[in-house]
Amino acid sequence: MKKLATMKMLLCSSLLVISVTAQAEGDAAKGKKNTQMCVGCHGIDGYRTAFPKVYNVPKIGGQHPAYLVQALQAYKTGARSHPSMRGIAQNLSKQDMEDLAAYYAGK
């Protein structure tokens, strides 16, 4: 019984490793080149710096890249509602999103 449980755990671990490595990775250097659309609200490093008390903007610096890509895709499809973000996301390819996510995840 323990052998079967161990085999299942090894199989699940192997599948997890395969799924993570199969995902495309973003290029942080390319992402840095596209940050001009983000800095106005999120700040240069992904942290709201100007007028922090006026309105709330999510911190994107240091976020997990998969979360950032998922959020951008949700804005693009309309699953998340924010007019400015939807307009920005409409012009981003999946690779652009992954590149931006890689850049901001490293902040």
Side-chain angles (χ1 to χ4, degrees):
M1 188 67 166
K2 286 184 180 184
K3 188 174 183 180
L4 180 61
T6 303
M7 291 297 286
K8 285 182 181 180
M9 189 167 49
L10 286 173
L11 178 62
C12 289
S13 298
S14 298
L15 291 174
L16 179 62
V17 169
I18 290 168
S19 69
V20 169
T21 57
Q23 293 177 351
E25 293 182 15
D27 183 334
K30 288 181 181 176
K32 184 177 182 179
K33 293 178 184 178
N34 290 325
T35 60
Q36 69 276 4
M37 65 191 106
C38 308
V39 297
C41 297
H42 296 282
I44 292 171
D45 291 331
Y47 298 93
R48 182 73 180 138
T49 53
F51 311 111
K53 301 287 183 195
V54 176
Y55 62 97
N56 293 322
V57 177
K59 175 186 88 157
I60 58 175
Q63 289 286 358
H64 193 278
Y67 168 78
L68 293 172
V69 170
Q70 181 182 16
L72 287 168
Q73 289 173 333
Y75 286 121
K76 187 171 186 166
T77 63
R80 275 185 148 180
S81 175
H82 190 280
S84 298
M85 285 302 304
R86 180 147 192 198
I88 289 168
Q90 288 293 321
N91 297 316
L92 296 175
S93 68
K94 177 113 173 17
Q95 188 62 54
D96 292 335
M97 292 177 189
E98 290 173 357
D99 293 345
L100 282 166
Y103 173 73
Y104 281 111
K107 291 297 185 182

CSV table of all heavy atoms in Angstrom, one decimal, residues 15-79:
chain,number,residue,atom,x,y,z
A,15,LEU,N,4.5,15.2,-13.1
A,15,LEU,CA,3.5,15.9,-13.9
A,15,LEU,C,3.6,17.4,-13.6
A,15,LEU,O,3.5,18.2,-14.5
A,15,LEU,CB,2.1,15.4,-13.7
A,15,LEU,CG,1.8,14.0,-14.3
A,15,LEU,CD1,0.4,13.5,-13.9
A,15,LEU,CD2,2.0,14.0,-15.8
A,16,LEU,N,3.8,17.7,-12.3
A,16,LEU,CA,3.9,19.1,-11.9
A,16,LEU,C,5.1,19.8,-12.5
A,16,LEU,O,5.1,20.9,-13.1
A,16,LEU,CB,3.9,19.3,-10.4
A,16,LEU,CG,4.0,20.7,-9.8
A,16,LEU,CD1,2.8,21.5,-10.3
A,16,LEU,CD2,4.1,20.6,-8.3
A,17,VAL,N,6.2,19.1,-12.5
A,17,VAL,CA,7.5,19.6,-13.0
A,17,VAL,C,7.3,19.8,-14.5
A,17,VAL,O,7.7,20.8,-15.1
A,17,VAL,CB,8.6,18.6,-12.7
A,17,VAL,CG1,9.9,19.0,-13.5
A,17,VAL,CG2,8.9,18.7,-11.2
A,18,ILE,N,6.7,18.8,-15.2
A,18,ILE,CA,6.5,18.9,-16.6
A,18,ILE,C,5.6,20.1,-17.0
A,18,ILE,O,5.9,20.8,-17.9
A,18,ILE,CB,6.0,17.6,-17.2
A,18,ILE,CG1,7.0,16.5,-17.1
A,18,ILE,CG2,5.5,17.8,-18.6
A,18,ILE,CD1,6.5,15.1,-17.4
A,19,SER,N,4.6,20.3,-16.3
A,19,SER,CA,3.6,21.4,-16.6
A,19,SER,C,4.3,22.7,-16.4
A,19,SER,O,4.0,23.7,-17.1
A,19,SER,CB,2.3,21.2,-15.8
A,19,SER,OG,2.6,21.5,-14.4
A,20,VAL,N,5.1,22.8,-15.3
A,20,VAL,CA,5.7,24.1,-15.1
A,20,VAL,C,6.8,24.4,-16.1
A,20,VAL,O,6.9,25.5,-16.6
A,20,VAL,CB,6.4,24.1,-13.7
A,20,VAL,CG1,7.3,25.3,-13.5
A,20,VAL,CG2,5.3,24.1,-12.6
A,21,THR,N,7.6,23.4,-16.5
A,21,THR,CA,8.6,23.7,-17.5
A,21,THR,C,8.0,23.8,-18.9
A,21,THR,O,8.7,24.4,-19.8
A,21,THR,CB,9.6,22.5,-17.5
A,21,THR,OG1,9.0,21.3,-17.7
A,21,THR,CG2,10.4,22.5,-16.2
A,22,ALA,N,6.8,23.3,-19.2
A,22,ALA,CA,6.2,23.4,-20.5
A,22,ALA,C,5.7,24.8,-20.7
A,22,ALA,O,5.5,25.2,-21.9
A,22,ALA,CB,5.1,22.4,-20.6
A,23,GLN,N,5.4,25.6,-19.7
A,23,GLN,CA,4.9,26.9,-19.8
A,23,GLN,C,6.0,27.8,-20.4
A,23,GLN,O,7.1,27.7,-20.1
A,23,GLN,CB,4.5,27.5,-18.5
A,23,GLN,CG,3.3,26.8,-17.9
A,23,GLN,CD,2.9,27.4,-16.5
A,23,GLN,OE1,3.7,28.2,-16.0
A,23,GLN,NE2,1.8,27.0,-16.0
A,24,ALA,N,5.6,28.7,-21.3
A,24,ALA,CA,6.5,29.7,-21.9
A,24,ALA,C,6.9,30.6,-20.8
A,24,ALA,O,6.2,31.0,-20.0
A,24,ALA,CB,5.8,30.4,-23.1
A,25,GLU,N,8.2,31.0,-20.9
A,25,GLU,CA,8.7,32.0,-19.9
A,25,GLU,C,8.9,33.3,-20.6
A,25,GLU,O,9.3,33.4,-21.8
A,25,GLU,CB,10.0,31.5,-19.4
A,25,GLU,CG,9.9,30.2,-18.5
A,25,GLU,CD,11.2,29.8,-17.9
A,25,GLU,OE1,12.2,30.5,-17.9
A,25,GLU,OE2,11.2,28.6,-17.5
A,26,GLY,N,8.7,34.4,-19.8
A,26,GLY,CA,8.9,35.7,-20.4
A,26,GLY,C,10.3,36.1,-20.3
A,26,GLY,O,11.1,35.6,-19.6
A,27,ASP,N,10.6,37.1,-21.1
A,27,ASP,CA,12.0,37.7,-21.2
A,27,ASP,C,11.9,39.0,-20.5
A,27,ASP,O,11.3,40.0,-21.0
A,27,ASP,CB,12.4,37.8,-22.6
A,27,ASP,CG,13.8,38.4,-22.8
A,27,ASP,OD1,14.3,39.1,-21.9
A,27,ASP,OD2,14.4,38.1,-23.8
A,28,ALA,N,12.5,39.1,-19.3
A,28,ALA,CA,12.4,40.4,-18.5
A,28,ALA,C,13.0,41.6,-19.2
A,28,ALA,O,12.5,42.7,-19.1
A,28,ALA,CB,13.1,40.1,-17.2
A,29,ALA,N,14.1,41.4,-20.0
A,29,ALA,CA,14.7,42.5,-20.7
A,29,ALA,C,13.7,43.0,-21.8
A,29,ALA,O,13.6,44.3,-21.9
A,29,ALA,CB,16.0,42.0,-21.4
A,30,LYS,N,13.0,42.1,-22.5
A,30,LYS,CA,12.0,42.6,-23.4
A,30,LYS,C,10.8,43.3,-22.7
A,30,LYS,O,10.3,44.3,-23.2
A,30,LYS,CB,11.5,41.5,-24.3
A,30,LYS,CG,12.6,41.0,-25.3
A,30,LYS,CD,12.0,39.9,-26.1
A,30,LYS,CE,13.1,39.4,-27.1
A,30,LYS,NZ,12.6,38.2,-27.9
A,31,GLY,N,10.5,42.7,-21.6
A,31,GLY,CA,9.4,43.3,-20.8
A,31,GLY,C,9.7,44.7,-20.3
A,31,GLY,O,8.8,45.6,-20.3
A,32,LYS,N,11.0,44.9,-19.9
A,32,LYS,CA,11.4,46.2,-19.5
A,32,LYS,C,11.2,47.3,-20.5
A,32,LYS,O,10.8,48.4,-20.2
A,32,LYS,CB,12.8,46.2,-19.0
A,32,LYS,CG,13.3,47.5,-18.4
A,32,LYS,CD,14.7,47.4,-18.0
A,32,LYS,CE,15.2,48.7,-17.3
A,32,LYS,NZ,16.6,48.6,-16.8
A,33,LYS,N,11.3,46.9,-21.8
A,33,LYS,CA,11.1,47.9,-22.9
A,33,LYS,C,9.7,48.3,-23.1
A,33,LYS,O,9.4,49.3,-23.7
A,33,LYS,CB,11.7,47.2,-24.2
A,33,LYS,CG,13.2,47.0,-24.2
A,33,LYS,CD,13.6,46.4,-25.5
A,33,LYS,CE,15.1,46.1,-25.5
A,33,LYS,NZ,15.5,45.4,-26.7
A,34,ASN,N,8.8,47.5,-22.6
A,34,ASN,CA,7.3,47.8,-22.7
A,34,ASN,C,6.7,48.3,-21.5
A,34,ASN,O,5.4,48.4,-21.4
A,34,ASN,CB,6.6,46.5,-23.1
A,34,ASN,CG,6.9,46.0,-24.5
A,34,ASN,OD1,7.1,46.9,-25.4
A,34,ASN,ND2,7.0,44.7,-24.8
A,35,THR,N,7.5,48.8,-20.5
A,35,THR,CA,6.9,49.2,-19.3
A,35,THR,C,6.3,50.6,-19.3
A,35,THR,O,5.6,51.1,-18.4
A,35,THR,CB,7.9,49.2,-18.1
A,35,THR,OG1,9.0,50.1,-18.5
A,35,THR,CG2,8.4,47.8,-17.9
A,36,GLN,N,6.5,51.4,-20.4
A,36,GLN,CA,6.0,52.7,-20.5
A,36,GLN,C,4.5,52.8,-20.3
A,36,GLN,O,4.0,53.8,-19.7
A,36,GLN,CB,6.4,53.4,-21.8
A,36,GLN,CG,5.7,52.9,-23.1
A,36,GLN,CD,6.4,51.6,-23.6
A,36,GLN,OE1,7.3,51.1,-23.1
A,36,GLN,NE2,5.9,51.2,-24.8
A,37,MET,N,3.8,51.8,-20.6
A,37,MET,CA,2.3,51.8,-20.4
A,37,MET,C,1.9,51.6,-19.0
A,37,MET,O,0.8,51.8,-18.6
A,37,MET,CB,1.6,50.8,-21.3
A,37,MET,CG,2.0,49.4,-21.0
A,37,MET,SD,1.5,48.2,-22.3
A,37,MET,CE,3.0,47.9,-23.0
A,38,CYS,N,2.9,51.1,-18.1
A,38,CYS,CA,2.6,50.7,-16.8
A,38,CYS,C,3.0,51.8,-15.7
A,38,CYS,O,2.3,51.9,-14.7
A,38,CYS,CB,3.3,49.4,-16.4
A,38,CYS,SG,3.0,48.0,-17.5
A,39,VAL,N,4.0,52.5,-16.1
A,39,VAL,CA,4.6,53.4,-15.0
A,39,VAL,C,3.7,54.5,-14.6
A,39,VAL,O,3.8,55.0,-13.5
A,39,VAL,CB,6.0,53.9,-15.5
A,39,VAL,CG1,7.0,52.8,-15.7
A,39,VAL,CG2,5.9,54.8,-16.7
A,40,GLY,N,2.8,55.0,-15.4
A,40,GLY,CA,2.0,56.1,-15.1
A,40,GLY,C,1.1,55.8,-13.9
A,40,GLY,O,0.9,56.7,-13.0
A,41,CYS,N,0.6,54.6,-13.7
A,41,CYS,CA,-0.2,54.2,-12.6
A,41,CYS,C,0.5,53.4,-11.6
A,41,CYS,O,0.3,53.5,-10.4
A,41,CYS,CB,-1.4,53.4,-13.1
A,41,CYS,SG,-2.5,54.4,-14.2
A,42,HIS,N,1.3,52.4,-12.0
A,42,HIS,CA,2.0,51.5,-11.1
A,42,HIS,C,3.4,51.9,-10.7
A,42,HIS,O,4.0,51.2,-9.8
A,42,HIS,CB,2.0,50.1,-11.8
A,42,HIS,CG,0.7,49.5,-12.1
A,42,HIS,ND1,-0.1,48.9,-11.1
A,42,HIS,CD2,0.0,49.4,-13.2
A,42,HIS,CE1,-1.2,48.5,-11.6
A,42,HIS,NE2,-1.2,48.8,-12.9
A,43,GLY,N,3.9,52.9,-11.3
A,43,GLY,CA,5.2,53.4,-10.9
A,43,GLY,C,6.3,52.6,-11.7
A,43,GLY,O,6.1,51.6,-12.3
A,44,ILE,N,7.5,53.1,-11.6
A,44,ILE,CA,8.6,52.6,-12.4
A,44,ILE,C,8.9,51.1,-12.0
A,44,ILE,O,9.1,50.3,-12.8
A,44,ILE,CB,9.9,53.4,-12.2
A,44,ILE,CG1,9.6,54.8,-12.9
A,44,ILE,CG2,11.1,52.8,-12.8
A,44,ILE,CD1,10.7,55.8,-12.7
A,45,ASP,N,8.9,50.8,-10.7
A,45,ASP,CA,9.2,49.5,-10.2
A,45,ASP,C,8.0,48.7,-9.9
A,45,ASP,O,8.1,47.6,-9.3
A,45,ASP,CB,10.1,49.6,-9.0
A,45,ASP,CG,11.5,50.1,-9.3
A,45,ASP,OD1,12.0,49.9,-10.4
A,45,ASP,OD2,12.1,50.7,-8.4
A,46,GLY,N,6.8,49.2,-10.4
A,46,GLY,CA,5.6,48.4,-10.1
A,46,GLY,C,4.9,48.7,-8.8
A,46,GLY,O,4.0,48.0,-8.4
A,47,TYR,N,5.4,49.8,-8.1
A,47,TYR,CA,4.8,50.2,-6.9
A,47,TYR,C,4.3,51.6,-7.1
A,47,TYR,O,4.9,52.5,-7.6
A,47,TYR,CB,5.9,50.2,-5.8
A,47,TYR,CG,6.5,48.9,-5.5
A,47,TYR,CD1,7.6,48.5,-6.1
A,47,TYR,CD2,5.8,48.0,-4.6
A,47,TYR,CE1,8.1,47.2,-5.9
A,47,TYR,CE2,6.3,46.7,-4.4
A,47,TYR,CZ,7.5,46.4,-5.0
A,47,TYR,OH,8.0,45.1,-4.8
A,48,ARG,N,3.1,51.9,-6.6
A,48,ARG,CA,2.5,53.2,-6.8
A,48,ARG,C,3.3,54.2,-5.9
A,48,ARG,O,3.4,54.0,-4.7
A,48,ARG,CB,1.0,53.1,-6.3
A,48,ARG,CG,0.3,54.4,-6.4
A,48,ARG,CD,0.0,54.7,-7.9
A,48,ARG,NE,-0.6,56.0,-8.0
A,48,ARG,CZ,-0.4,56.8,-9.0
A,48,ARG,NH1,0.5,56.6,-9.9
A,48,ARG,NH2,-1.0,58.0,-9.0
A,49,THR,N,3.8,55.2,-6.6
A,49,THR,CA,4.7,56.2,-5.9
A,49,THR,C,4.0,57.5,-5.8
A,49,THR,O,4.1,58.2,-4.8
A,49,THR,CB,6.1,56.3,-6.5
A,49,THR,OG1,5.9,56.5,-7.9
A,49,THR,CG2,6.8,55.0,-6.3
A,50,ALA,N,3.5,58.0,-6.9
A,50,ALA,CA,2.9,59.3,-7.0
A,50,ALA,C,1.4,59.3,-6.5
A,50,ALA,O,0.7,58.4,-6.8
A,50,ALA,CB,2.9,59.9,-8.4
A,51,PHE,N,1.1,60.2,-5.6
A,51,PHE,CA,-0.3,60.3,-5.1
A,51,PHE,C,-0.8,59.0,-4.5
A,51,PHE,O,-1.9,58.6,-4.9
A,51,PHE,CB,-1.2,60.8,-6.2
A,51,PHE,CG,-0.7,62.0,-6.9
A,51,PHE,CD1,-0.3,62.0,-8.3
A,51,PHE,CD2,-0.6,63.3,-6.3
A,51,PHE,CE1,0.2,63.1,-8.9
A,51,PHE,CE2,-0.1,64.4,-7.0
A,51,PHE,CZ,0.3,64.3,-8.3
A,52,PRO,N,-0.1,58.4,-3.6
A,52,PRO,CA,-0.6,57.1,-3.1
A,52,PRO,C,-1.9,57.2,-2.4
A,52,PRO,O,-2.6,56.2,-2.3
A,52,PRO,CB,0.5,56.7,-2.1
A,52,PRO,CG,1.2,57.9,-1.8
A,52,PRO,CD,1.1,58.9,-3.0
A,53,LYS,N,-2.3,58.3,-1.9
A,53,LYS,CA,-3.6,58.4,-1.2
A,53,LYS,C,-4.8,58.8,-2.1
A,53,LYS,O,-5.9,58.7,-1.6
A,53,LYS,CB,-3.5,59.5,0.0
A,53,LYS,CG,-2.4,59.2,1.0
A,53,LYS,CD,-2.7,58.1,1.9
A,53,LYS,CE,-1.7,57.9,2.9
A,53,LYS,NZ,-1.7,56.7,3.6
A,54,VAL,N,-4.5,59.1,-3.3
A,54,VAL,CA,-5.6,59.6,-4.2
A,54,VAL,C,-6.4,58.4,-4.7
A,54,VAL,O,-7.6,58.4,-4.6
A,54,VAL,CB,-5.0,60.4,-5.4
A,54,VAL,CG1,-6.1,60.7,-6.4
A,54,VAL,CG2,-4.3,61.6,-4.9
A,55,TYR,N,-5.8,57.4,-5.1
A,55,TYR,CA,-6.5,56.2,-5.6
A,55,TYR,C,-5.7,55.0,-5.4
A,55,TYR,O,-4.4,55.1,-5.4
A,55,TYR,CB,-7.1,56.3,-7.0
A,55,TYR,CG,-6.0,56.5,-8.1
A,55,TYR,CD1,-5.6,55.4,-8.8
A,55,TYR,CD2,-5.5,57.7,-8.3
A,55,TYR,CE1,-4.6,55.5,-9.8
A,55,TYR,CE2,-4.5,57.9,-9.3
A,55,TYR,CZ,-4.1,56.8,-10.0
A,55,TYR,OH,-3.2,56.9,-11.0
A,56,ASN,N,-6.3,53.8,-5.3
A,56,ASN,CA,-5.5,52.6,-5.1
A,56,ASN,C,-5.2,51.9,-6.4
A,56,ASN,O,-6.1,51.7,-7.2
A,56,ASN,CB,-6.4,51.6,-4.2
A,56,ASN,CG,-6.5,52.1,-2.8
A,56,ASN,OD1,-5.6,52.7,-2.3
A,56,ASN,ND2,-7.7,51.9,-2.2
A,57,VAL,N,-4.0,51.5,-6.6
A,57,VAL,CA,-3.5,50.8,-7.8
A,57,VAL,C,-2.8,49.6,-7.3
A,57,VAL,O,-2.0,49.7,-6.4
A,57,VAL,CB,-2.6,51.7,-8.6
A,57,VAL,CG1,-2.1,50.9,-9.8
A,57,VAL,CG2,-3.3,52.9,-9.1
A,58,PRO,N,-3.1,48.4,-7.8
A,58,PRO,CA,-2.4,47.2,-7.3
A,58,PRO,C,-0.9,47.3,-7.5
A,58,PRO,O,-0.4,47.8,-8.5
A,58,PRO,CB,-3.0,46.1,-8.1
A,58,PRO,CG,-4.2,46.6,-8.8
A,58,PRO,CD,-4.0,48.1,-8.8
A,59,LYS,N,-0.2,46.7,-6.5
A,59,LYS,CA,1.2,46.5,-6.7
A,59,LYS,C,1.5,45.4,-7.7
A,59,LYS,O,0.9,44.3,-7.6
A,59,LYS,CB,1.8,46.1,-5.3
A,59,LYS,CG,3.3,45.8,-5.3
A,59,LYS,CD,3.7,45.3,-3.9
A,59,LYS,CE,3.5,43.8,-3.9
A,59,LYS,NZ,4.3,43.1,-3.0
A,60,ILE,N,2.3,45.7,-8.7
A,60,ILE,CA,2.7,44.6,-9.6
A,60,ILE,C,4.1,44.2,-9.5
A,60,ILE,O,4.5,43.1,-9.9
A,60,ILE,CB,2.3,45.0,-11.1
A,60,ILE,CG1,3.0,46.3,-11.5
A,60,ILE,CG2,0.8,45.1,-11.3
A,60,ILE,CD1,2.8,46.6,-13.0
A,61,GLY,N,4.9,45.0,-8.9
A,61,GLY,CA,6.3,44.7,-8.6
A,61,GLY,C,6.4,43.5,-7.6
A,61,GLY,O,5.8,43.6,-6.5
A,62,GLY,N,7.1,42.5,-8.0
A,62,GLY,CA,7.3,41.3,-7.1
A,62,GLY,C,6.1,40.3,-7.1
A,62,GLY,O,6.2,39.3,-6.4
A,63,GLN,N,5.1,40.6,-7.9
A,63,GLN,CA,4.0,39.6,-8.0
A,63,GLN,C,4.5,38.4,-8.8
A,63,GLN,O,5.4,38.4,-9.6
A,63,GLN,CB,2.8,40.2,-8.8
A,63,GLN,CG,2.1,41.2,-8.0
A,63,GLN,CD,1.2,40.7,-6.9
A,63,GLN,OE1,1.1,39.5,-6.7
A,63,GLN,NE2,0.6,41.5,-6.2
A,64,HIS,N,3.8,37.3,-8.6
A,64,HIS,CA,4.1,36.0,-9.3
A,64,HIS,C,3.8,36.2,-10.8
A,64,HIS,O,2.7,36.7,-11.1
A,64,HIS,CB,3.3,34.9,-8.7
A,64,HIS,CG,3.8,33.5,-9.2
A,64,HIS,ND1,3.4,33.0,-10.4
A,64,HIS,CD2,4.6,32.6,-8.6
A,64,HIS,CE1,4.0,31.8,-10.6
A,64,HIS,NE2,4.7,31.6,-9.5
A,65,PRO,N,4.7,35.8,-11.7
A,65,PRO,CA,4.5,36.1,-13.1
A,65,PRO,C,3.2,35.4,-13.7
A,65,PRO,O,2.5,36.0,-14.5
A,65,PRO,CB,5.7,35.5,-13.8
A,65,PRO,CG,6.5,34.8,-12.8
A,65,PRO,CD,6.0,35.2,-11.5
A,66,ALA,N,2.8,34.2,-13.2
A,66,ALA,CA,1.6,33.6,-13.7
A,66,ALA,C,0.4,34.4,-13.3
A,66,ALA,O,-0.6,34.5,-14.1
A,66,ALA,CB,1.5,32.2,-13.1
A,67,TYR,N,0.4,35.0,-12.1
A,67,TYR,CA,-0.7,35.9,-11.7
A,67,TYR,C,-0.8,37.1,-12.6
A,67,TYR,O,-1.9,37.5,-13.0
A,67,TYR,CB,-0.5,36.3,-10.2
A,67,TYR,CG,-1.5,37.4,-9.9
A,67,TYR,CD1,-2.8,37.1,-9.6
A,67,TYR,CD2,-1.1,38.7,-9.8
A,67,TYR,CE1,-3.7,38.1,-9.2
A,67,TYR,CE2,-2.0,39.7,-9.5
A,67,TYR,CZ,-3.3,39.4,-9.2
A,67,TYR,OH,-4.2,40.4,-8.9
A,68,LEU,N,0.3,37.7,-12.9
A,68,LEU,CA,0.3,38.9,-13.8
A,68,LEU,C,-0.2,38.6,-15.2
A,68,LEU,O,-1.0,39.3,-15.7
A,68,LEU,CB,1.7,39.5,-13.8
A,68,LEU,CG,2.2,40.1,-12.5
A,68,LEU,CD1,3.6,40.5,-12.6
A,68,LEU,CD2,1.3,41.3,-12.1
A,69,VAL,N,0.2,37.5,-15.7
A,69,VAL,CA,-0.3,37.1,-17.1
A,69,VAL,C,-1.8,36.8,-17.0
A,69,VAL,O,-2.5,37.2,-17.9
A,69,VAL,CB,0.5,35.8,-17.6
A,69,VAL,CG1,-0.1,35.3,-18.8
A,69,VAL,CG2,2.0,36.2,-17.8
A,70,GLN,N,-2.2,36.1,-16.0
A,70,GLN,CA,-3.6,35.7,-15.9
A,70,GLN,C,-4.4,37.0,-15.8
A,70,GLN,O,-5.5,37.1,-16.4
A,70,GLN,CB,-3.8,34.9,-14.6
A,70,GLN,CG,-5.3,34.4,-14.5
A,70,GLN,CD,-5.5,33.6,-13.2
A,70,GLN,OE1,-4.6,33.6,-12.3
A,70,GLN,NE2,-6.6,32.9,-13.1
A,71,ALA,N,-4.0,38.0,-15.0
A,71,ALA,CA,-4.7,39.2,-14.8
A,71,ALA,C,-4.8,40.0,-16.2
A,71,ALA,O,-5.9,40.5,-16.5
A,71,ALA,CB,-4.0,40.1,-13.8
A,72,LEU,N,-3.7,40.1,-16.9
A,72,LEU,CA,-3.7,40.8,-18.2
A,72,LEU,C,-4.6,40.1,-19.2
A,72,LEU,O,-5.3,40.7,-19.9
A,72,LEU,CB,-2.3,40.9,-18.7
A,72,LEU,CG,-1.4,41.9,-18.0
A,72,LEU,CD1,0.1,41.7,-18.4
A,72,LEU,CD2,-1.8,43.3,-18.3
A,73,GLN,N,-4.6,38.7,-19.2
A,73,GLN,CA,-5.5,38.0,-20.1
A,73,GLN,C,-7.0,38.3,-19.7
A,73,GLN,O,-7.8,38.4,-20.6
A,73,GLN,CB,-5.2,36.5,-20.0
A,73,GLN,CG,-3.9,36.2,-20.7
A,73,GLN,CD,-3.5,34.7,-20.5
A,73,GLN,OE1,-3.9,34.1,-19.6
A,73,GLN,NE2,-2.7,34.2,-21.5
A,74,ALA,N,-7.2,38.4,-18.4
A,74,ALA,CA,-8.6,38.6,-18.0
A,74,ALA,C,-9.1,40.0,-18.4
A,74,ALA,O,-10.2,40.2,-18.8
A,74,ALA,CB,-8.7,38.4,-16.5
A,75,TYR,N,-8.2,41.0,-18.3
A,75,TYR,CA,-8.5,42.4,-18.8
A,75,TYR,C,-8.8,42.3,-20.3
A,75,TYR,O,-9.7,42.9,-20.8
A,75,TYR,CB,-7.4,43.4,-18.5
A,75,TYR,CG,-7.4,43.8,-17.0
A,75,TYR,CD1,-6.2,43.5,-16.3
A,75,TYR,CD2,-8.5,44.3,-16.4
A,75,TYR,CE1,-6.2,43.9,-14.9
A,75,TYR,CE2,-8.4,44.7,-15.1
A,75,TYR,CZ,-7.3,44.5,-14.3
A,75,TYR,OH,-7.2,44.8,-13.0
A,76,LYS,N,-7.9,41.6,-21.0
A,76,LYS,CA,-8.1,41.5,-22.5
A,76,LYS,C,-9.4,40.9,-22.9
A,76,LYS,O,-10.0,41.4,-23.8
A,76,LYS,CB,-6.9,40.7,-23.1
A,76,LYS,CG,-6.9,40.7,-24.6
A,76,LYS,CD,-5.6,40.1,-25.1
A,76,LYS,CE,-5.5,40.3,-26.6
A,76,LYS,NZ,-4.2,40.0,-27.1
A,77,THR,N,-9.8,39.9,-22.2
A,77,THR,CA,-11.1,39.2,-22.6
A,77,THR,C,-12.3,39.9,-22.0
A,77,THR,O,-13.4,39.5,-22.3
A,77,THR,CB,-11.1,37.7,-22.1
A,77,THR,OG1,-11.0,37.7,-20.6
A,77,THR,CG2,-9.9,37.0,-22.7
A,78,GLY,N,-12.1,40.8,-21.0
A,78,GLY,CA,-13.2,41.4,-20.4
A,78,GLY,C,-13.7,40.7,-19.1
A,78,GLY,O,-14.6,41.2,-18.5
A,79,ALA,N,-13.0,39.7,-18.7
A,79,ALA,CA,-13.4,39.0,-17.5
A,79,ALA,C,-13.1,39.8,-16.3
A,79,ALA,O,-13.8,39.7,-15.3
A,79,ALA,CB,-12.6,37.6,-17.4
